[in-house]
Amino acid sequence: MPEAHTVTSYDDDLRFLTRRLSEMGGIAERMVADAVAALVNADTGSAQRVISEDLLLDNGEREIYDKAVLVIAKRQPMASDLREIIGSIRIASDLERVGDLGKNIAKRVIAVHTMAQPRKLVRGLEHLAELALTQLKEVLDAFATRSPDLANSIRERDEEIDAIYTSLFRELLTYMMEDPRNITACTHLLFCAKNIERIGDHATNIAETVYYVATGEQLAAERPKDDDTATMVAPAPGSD
Protein backbone atom coordinates (compact mmCIF):
# COMPACT_ATOMS: atom_id res chain seq x y z
CA MET A 1 0.00 0.00 0.00
CA PRO A 2 2.66 2.60 0.85
CA GLU A 3 4.23 2.07 -2.60
CA ALA A 4 0.91 2.68 -4.38
CA HIS A 5 0.41 5.84 -2.33
CA THR A 6 3.84 7.10 -3.41
CA VAL A 7 3.05 6.52 -7.10
CA THR A 8 -0.29 8.31 -6.78
CA SER A 9 1.34 11.25 -5.04
CA TYR A 10 3.96 11.50 -7.78
CA ASP A 11 1.27 11.44 -10.47
CA ASP A 12 -0.58 14.16 -8.57
CA ASP A 13 2.55 16.31 -8.64
CA LEU A 14 2.83 15.95 -12.42
CA ARG A 15 -0.87 16.66 -12.87
CA PHE A 16 -0.50 19.79 -10.75
CA LEU A 17 2.20 21.10 -13.08
CA THR A 18 0.10 20.37 -16.17
CA ARG A 19 -3.02 21.95 -14.65
CA ARG A 20 -1.23 25.12 -13.56
CA LEU A 21 0.40 25.49 -16.99
CA SER A 22 -3.02 25.17 -18.62
CA GLU A 23 -4.38 27.85 -16.30
CA MET A 24 -1.42 30.13 -17.04
CA GLY A 25 -1.91 29.60 -20.76
CA GLY A 26 -5.56 30.63 -20.52
CA ILE A 27 -4.67 33.77 -18.57
CA ALA A 28 -1.88 34.71 -21.01
CA GLU A 29 -4.20 34.30 -24.02
CA ARG A 30 -6.88 36.42 -22.38
CA MET A 31 -4.44 39.15 -21.37
CA VAL A 32 -3.07 39.55 -24.89
CA ALA A 33 -6.51 39.46 -26.53
CA ASP A 34 -7.89 42.00 -24.05
CA ALA A 35 -4.85 44.28 -24.40
CA VAL A 36 -5.16 44.38 -28.19
CA ALA A 37 -8.94 44.92 -27.98
CA ALA A 38 -8.28 47.78 -25.55
CA LEU A 39 -5.83 49.28 -28.04
CA VAL A 40 -8.29 49.04 -30.93
CA ASN A 41 -11.14 50.52 -28.87
CA ALA A 42 -9.05 52.99 -26.80
CA ASP A 43 -10.46 51.30 -23.68
CA THR A 44 -8.32 52.33 -20.72
CA GLY A 45 -10.50 50.42 -18.24
CA SER A 46 -9.77 47.11 -19.96
CA ALA A 47 -6.10 48.07 -20.22
CA GLN A 48 -5.94 48.61 -16.46
CA ARG A 49 -7.47 45.18 -15.85
CA VAL A 50 -4.86 43.55 -18.07
CA ILE A 51 -2.08 45.27 -16.14
CA SER A 52 -3.49 44.03 -12.81
CA GLU A 53 -3.82 40.44 -14.10
CA ASP A 54 -0.08 40.15 -14.72
CA LEU A 55 0.40 39.24 -11.06
CA LEU A 56 -1.54 36.01 -11.68
CA LEU A 57 1.09 34.82 -14.14
CA ASP A 58 3.95 35.90 -11.89
CA ASN A 59 2.46 33.80 -9.08
CA GLY A 60 1.81 30.88 -11.43
CA GLU A 61 5.40 30.79 -12.63
CA ARG A 62 6.65 30.87 -9.04
CA GLU A 63 4.33 28.03 -8.00
CA ILE A 64 5.41 25.85 -10.91
CA TYR A 65 9.09 26.49 -10.28
CA ASP A 66 8.77 25.72 -6.55
CA LYS A 67 6.77 22.54 -7.21
CA ALA A 68 9.17 21.37 -9.92
CA VAL A 69 12.21 21.84 -7.69
CA LEU A 70 10.47 19.97 -4.86
CA VAL A 71 9.49 17.08 -7.13
CA ILE A 72 13.02 16.75 -8.50
CA ALA A 73 14.47 16.78 -4.98
CA LYS A 74 11.97 14.26 -3.55
CA ARG A 75 11.32 11.95 -6.51
CA GLN A 76 14.57 12.09 -8.49
CA PRO A 77 12.70 11.60 -11.79
CA MET A 78 14.43 10.25 -14.88
CA ALA A 79 13.96 10.24 -18.66
CA SER A 80 10.50 11.39 -19.82
CA ASP A 81 9.35 12.44 -16.35
CA LEU A 82 12.39 14.66 -15.89
CA ARG A 83 11.83 16.21 -19.33
CA GLU A 84 8.22 16.86 -18.34
CA ILE A 85 9.26 18.73 -15.22
CA ILE A 86 12.05 20.73 -16.86
CA GLY A 87 9.67 21.51 -19.73
CA SER A 88 7.09 22.83 -17.26
CA ILE A 89 9.63 25.31 -15.87
CA ARG A 90 10.56 26.51 -19.36
CA ILE A 91 6.96 26.85 -20.56
CA ALA A 92 5.93 28.69 -17.39
CA SER A 93 8.75 31.17 -18.00
CA ASP A 94 7.60 31.78 -21.58
CA LEU A 95 3.98 32.23 -20.52
CA GLU A 96 5.01 34.71 -17.83
CA ARG A 97 6.87 36.69 -20.50
CA VAL A 98 3.80 36.61 -22.75
CA GLY A 99 1.87 38.14 -19.87
CA ASP A 100 4.52 40.85 -19.49
CA LEU A 101 4.22 41.65 -23.20
CA GLY A 102 0.43 41.85 -22.93
CA LYS A 103 0.84 44.19 -19.96
CA ASN A 104 3.25 46.34 -21.98
CA ILE A 105 0.65 46.69 -24.76
CA ALA A 106 -1.96 47.67 -22.17
CA LYS A 107 0.35 50.38 -20.82
CA ARG A 108 0.65 51.81 -24.34
CA VAL A 109 -3.16 52.00 -24.53
CA ILE A 110 -3.16 54.34 -21.55
CA ALA A 111 -0.43 56.45 -23.16
CA VAL A 112 -2.08 56.83 -26.61
CA HIS A 113 -5.85 56.65 -25.99
CA THR A 114 -6.29 60.41 -26.50
CA MET A 115 -4.16 60.52 -29.68
CA ALA A 116 -5.39 60.14 -33.24
CA GLN A 117 -4.22 56.77 -34.55
CA PRO A 118 -4.17 55.53 -38.16
CA ARG A 119 -7.07 53.04 -38.18
CA LYS A 120 -5.49 50.97 -40.95
CA LEU A 121 -2.38 50.41 -38.86
CA VAL A 122 -4.34 49.64 -35.71
CA ARG A 123 -6.25 47.01 -37.69
CA GLY A 124 -2.92 45.68 -38.93
CA LEU A 125 -1.83 45.26 -35.31
CA GLU A 126 -5.09 43.44 -34.62
CA HIS A 127 -4.38 40.99 -37.47
CA LEU A 128 -0.83 40.45 -36.23
CA ALA A 129 -2.20 39.70 -32.76
CA GLU A 130 -4.71 37.21 -34.18
CA LEU A 131 -1.86 35.24 -35.75
CA ALA A 132 0.20 35.33 -32.56
CA LEU A 133 -2.78 34.24 -30.44
CA THR A 134 -3.55 31.40 -32.87
CA GLN A 135 0.03 30.20 -32.49
CA LEU A 136 -0.19 30.46 -28.72
CA LYS A 137 -3.48 28.53 -28.57
CA GLU A 138 -2.19 25.81 -30.91
CA VAL A 139 1.07 25.38 -29.01
CA LEU A 140 -0.85 24.97 -25.76
CA ASP A 141 -2.93 22.30 -27.52
CA ALA A 142 0.33 20.67 -28.65
CA PHE A 143 1.49 20.62 -25.02
CA ALA A 144 -1.80 19.15 -23.83
CA THR A 145 -1.53 16.32 -26.38
CA ARG A 146 2.29 16.11 -26.33
CA SER A 147 2.23 16.31 -30.14
CA PRO A 148 5.71 16.76 -31.63
CA ASP A 149 4.30 17.08 -35.16
CA LEU A 150 2.02 19.98 -34.21
CA ALA A 151 4.83 21.62 -32.23
CA ASN A 152 7.17 21.42 -35.23
CA SER A 153 4.56 22.83 -37.63
CA ILE A 154 3.98 25.81 -35.29
CA ARG A 155 7.70 26.50 -35.18
CA GLU A 156 7.90 26.44 -38.97
CA ARG A 157 5.14 29.07 -39.22
CA ASP A 158 6.96 31.67 -37.12
CA GLU A 159 8.11 33.47 -40.26
CA GLU A 160 4.47 34.39 -41.10
CA ILE A 161 4.31 36.66 -38.05
CA ASP A 162 7.77 38.05 -38.81
CA ALA A 163 6.74 38.96 -42.37
CA ILE A 164 3.60 40.79 -41.27
CA TYR A 165 5.51 42.57 -38.51
CA THR A 166 8.12 43.75 -41.03
CA SER A 167 5.38 45.07 -43.34
CA LEU A 168 3.67 46.86 -40.47
CA PHE A 169 6.98 48.31 -39.30
CA ARG A 170 7.57 49.74 -42.79
CA GLU A 171 4.10 51.29 -42.92
CA LEU A 172 4.50 52.90 -39.51
CA LEU A 173 7.81 54.45 -40.54
CA THR A 174 6.16 55.84 -43.67
CA TYR A 175 3.35 57.43 -41.65
CA MET A 176 5.88 59.08 -39.35
CA MET A 177 7.89 60.50 -42.24
CA GLU A 178 4.79 61.80 -44.01
CA ASP A 179 3.56 63.80 -41.03
CA PRO A 180 5.63 64.49 -37.90
CA ARG A 181 2.39 64.76 -35.90
CA ASN A 182 2.08 60.98 -36.29
CA ILE A 183 5.45 60.27 -34.67
CA THR A 184 4.35 59.89 -31.03
CA ALA A 185 1.33 57.66 -31.72
CA CYS A 186 3.16 55.58 -34.33
CA THR A 187 6.14 55.08 -32.00
CA HIS A 188 3.79 53.59 -29.40
CA LEU A 189 2.24 51.39 -32.10
CA LEU A 190 5.72 50.25 -33.16
CA PHE A 191 6.40 49.07 -29.62
CA CYS A 192 3.02 47.30 -29.56
CA ALA A 193 3.81 45.56 -32.84
CA LYS A 194 7.19 44.42 -31.51
CA ASN A 195 5.55 43.10 -28.33
CA ILE A 196 3.10 41.07 -30.43
CA GLU A 197 5.92 39.72 -32.62
CA ARG A 198 7.76 38.66 -29.45
CA ILE A 199 4.64 36.80 -28.29
CA GLY A 200 4.96 34.74 -31.47
CA ASP A 201 8.59 34.06 -30.58
CA HIS A 202 7.59 32.80 -27.14
CA ALA A 203 4.96 30.53 -28.72
CA THR A 204 7.76 29.15 -30.88
CA ASN A 205 9.94 28.64 -27.78
CA ILE A 206 7.10 26.66 -26.21
CA ALA A 207 6.78 24.58 -29.39
CA GLU A 208 10.46 23.67 -29.14
CA THR A 209 10.00 22.69 -25.50
CA VAL A 210 6.96 20.54 -26.33
CA TYR A 211 8.96 18.77 -29.03
CA TYR A 212 11.76 18.09 -26.54
CA VAL A 213 9.36 16.82 -23.86
CA ALA A 214 7.63 14.50 -26.33
CA THR A 215 10.71 13.12 -28.12
CA GLY A 216 13.75 13.76 -25.95
CA GLU A 217 15.37 15.50 -28.93
CA GLN A 218 16.11 19.17 -29.60
CA LEU A 219 14.97 20.80 -32.82
CA ALA A 220 17.66 22.39 -35.00
CA ALA A 221 19.00 25.61 -33.50
CA GLU A 222 18.20 27.72 -36.57
CA ARG A 223 14.54 28.43 -37.21
CA PRO A 224 12.78 30.37 -39.98
CA LYS A 225 12.94 34.14 -39.49
CA ASP A 226 11.55 36.81 -41.80
CA ASP A 227 12.13 39.92 -39.69
CA ASP A 228 14.47 42.31 -41.49
CA THR A 229 13.52 45.44 -39.53
CA ALA A 230 17.03 45.64 -38.04
CA THR A 231 18.39 46.59 -41.47
CA MET A 232 15.54 48.89 -42.40
CA VAL A 233 15.90 52.66 -42.51
CA ALA A 234 13.19 55.29 -42.53
CA PRO A 235 12.13 56.36 -46.04
CA ALA A 236 13.00 59.85 -47.19
CA PRO A 237 10.10 62.32 -47.12
CA GLY A 238 8.05 62.07 -50.29
CA SER A 239 9.70 58.80 -51.47
CA ASP A 240 7.64 55.85 -52.73
Side-chain angles (χ1 to χ4, degrees):
M1 275 306 280
E3 188 173 335
H5 175 75
T6 300
V7 171
T8 301
S9 178
Y10 182 48
D11 289 342
D12 286 344
D13 288 337
L14 296 180
R15 279 193 290 268
F16 172 86
L17 294 174
T18 298
R19 185 179 71 253
R20 287 298 282 128
L21 280 175
S22 177
E23 291 168 356
M24 284 186 69
I27 294 168
E29 285 184 69
R30 185 177 69 244
M31 284 180 65
V32 174
D34 289 352
V36 173
L39 180 66
V40 171
N41 300 313
D43 184 347
T44 57
S46 292
Q48 290 285 10
R49 284 193 294 275
V50 170
I51 293 168
S52 66
E53 283 187 327
D54 184 55
L55 187 61
L56 298 175
L57 290 181
D58 293 343
N59 291 338
E61 182 190 23
R62 193 176 304 111
E63 284 181 28
I64 286 172
Y65 179 82
D66 289 346
K67 173 65 78 171
V69 170
L70 186 63
V71 171
I72 291 171
K74 288 172 60 179
R75 312 293 184 187
Q76 298 182 350
M78 299 177 66
S80 62
D81 285 345
L82 182 58
R83 294 200 306 272
E84 189 91 18
I85 295 166
I86 297 301
S88 295
I89 295 173
R90 288 165 57 175
I91 292 171
S93 177
D94 278 306
L95 290 174
E96 190 275 334
R97 285 296 299 133
V98 169
D100 285 344
L101 293 165
K103 179 179 70 174
N104 290 345
I105 294 169
K107 287 180 177 178
R108 300 283 173 183
V109 174
I110 296 169
V112 304
H113 76 282
T114 59
M115 302 176 189
Q117 300 176 46
R119 299 309 299 170
K120 176 186 174 185
L121 296 181
V122 172
R123 293 298 175 186
L125 278 174
E126 192 174 24
H127 177 55
L128 183 65
E130 287 170 359
L131 286 178
L133 282 169
T134 297
Q135 275 202 329
L136 185 59
K137 180 182 183 306
E138 288 182 357
V139 82
L140 292 171
D141 290 342
F143 174 70
T145 58
R146 306 300 190 272
S147 171
D149 292 336
L150 179 56
N152 192 40
S153 72
I154 292 165
R155 182 181 188 262
E156 293 297 318
R157 296 204 315 268
D158 184 52
E159 60 187 352
E160 295 176 23
I161 292 178
D162 291 337
I164 293 175
Y165 166 67
T166 298
S167 175
L168 197 55
F169 185 95
R170 185 179 293 113
E171 287 191 69
L172 283 161
L173 287 182
T174 301
Y175 266 81
M176 287 190 279
M177 294 302 296
E178 287 177 348
D179 188 345
R181 290 173 297 182
N182 293 329
I183 289 175
T184 300
C186 286
T187 299
H188 284 294
L189 294 179
L190 273 173
F191 279 109
C192 289
K194 185 60 182 177
N195 286 332
I196 295 169
E197 188 266 342
R198 289 291 297 136
I199 288 166
D201 286 343
H202 283 289
T204 302
N205 290 347
I206 295 172
E208 293 172 350
T209 298
V210 170
Y211 189 91
Y212 169 72
V213 168
T215 67
E217 299 175 358
Q218 301 279 3
L219 286 165
E222 290 297 321
R223 68 192 191 200
K225 296 295 290 180
D226 198 15
D227 173 10
D228 60 1
T229 57
T231 61
M232 202 177 293
V233 295
S239 64
D240 291 333

